[in-house]
Amino acid sequence: MAPVSAPLLIAIDGPAAAGKGTLARRLAAHFGLPYLDTGLLYRAVARRVIDSGQSPADATAAAEAARVLVPEDTRRGDLRGPPVDEAASLVASVPAVRAALLEFQRAFGRENGAVLDGRDIGTVIFPQAPAKLFVTASPEERGRRRWAELVARGVAADLGAITAEVHARDAADAARAAAPMKPAADAMLLDTTALDADAAFAAALAMIGERLASQGLTR
Ligand code: DC
């Protein structure tokens, strides 16, 4: 009987504006896997709380918003930008919010495999993923990328303020007690500071290929 191979799961974690999303999307296309940007789940929870007039720091309101979240919420056009950025980080620190979103993320990859990007994919959501990347870039470069993103969308933004905001959010995401952002013990580190999107993709592909081959998995 042919061996049954598990669906391929690729975990992409790391701080804000390190290039995770672009990279994860390209990896998903390359491997023919579905892609989930898990940050959108926390952003959508934050949006619901803000829209209901409650404070994103209100753990009870955040947990309730997470429990009633529907996939369509993540397709809204107003999930990116400074007010939601900060609110998403706040609601993401609430254990009941993370618990409410856990099963959706696991179910997303269970049948057919997937590429997921976030902060705790390799540590909590799919600790058994055979290929995990922790994608970073220097704080200055990440601040610059987030600033350039906003400017490209026509949002007036101050580089220094945006860089400070990105750093504050990363510090909060790394310091929280519930599923803090950190590399899994078996994550491969990819620093994209000096890499453009093509070079980051090539480097990631080489690392993942090697890791899969070392486990007897080929794609
Ligand atoms: O990746 P992002 O910037 O869209 O994420 C928004 C916020 O959500 C971020 O501050 C941390 C949080 N987040 C998380 O805690 N766990 C994830 N798997 C993804 C995002």
Side-chain angles (χ1 to χ4, degrees):
M1 210 164 69
V4 178
S5 61
L8 178 58
L9 292 164
I10 299 178
I12 312 285
D13 290 304
K20 300 185 304 290
T22 306
L23 178 61
R25 210 169 282 113
R26 287 182 71 167
L27 288 170
H30 175 85
F31 288 104
L33 294 169
Y35 163 61
L36 182 64
D37 172 355
T38 65
L40 284 179
L41 299 172
Y42 297 92
R43 289 175 178 277
V45 170
R47 186 81 252 177
R48 266 188 181 267
V49 175
I50 292 170
D51 288 354
S52 70
Q54 290 163 296
S55 164
D58 178 340
T60 307
E64 180 52 25
R67 275 191 286 272
V68 298
L69 198 76
V70 289
E72 293 71 58
D73 289 336
T74 64
R75 293 192 269 276
R76 290 176 57 151
D78 54 0
L79 299 181
R80 298 198 184 276
V84 181
D85 290 348
E86 198 201 339
S89 183
L90 279 171
V91 303
S93 70
V94 177
V97 168
R98 308 199 70 88
L101 301 178
L102 182 77
E103 180 50 28
F104 176 81
Q105 295 173 80
R106 289 196 174 147
F108 186 87
R110 190 177 289 135
E111 292 289 312
N112 302 310
V115 179
L116 289 89
D117 80 43
R119 304 293 187 288
D120 64 338
I121 308 303
T123 50
V124 174
I125 307 298
F126 286 120
Q128 79 280 24
K132 301 176 187 174
L133 284 177
F134 194 83
V135 183
T136 61
S138 73
E140 296 72 28
E141 176 60 13
R142 293 189 295 103
R144 196 197 58 74
R145 288 180 191 169
R146 181 48 49 89
W147 172 80
E149 253 172 55
L150 289 169
V151 170
R153 286 187 5 228
V155 179
D158 173 74
L159 176 60
I162 295 297
T163 304
E165 249 171 51
V166 165
H167 297 178
R169 190 149 69 88
D170 291 340
D173 291 341
R176 70 184 178 220
M181 167 177 72
K182 65 173 179 201
D186 57 347
M188 301 174 280
L189 299 187
L190 175 59
D191 186 331
T192 67
T193 306
L195 305 180
D196 66 13
D198 287 347
F201 176 62
L205 213 49
M207 290 166 118
I208 291 170
E210 215 169 282
R211 181 58 65 90
L212 294 180
S214 76
Q215 296 169 76
L217 303 168
T218 50
R219 290 288 292 197

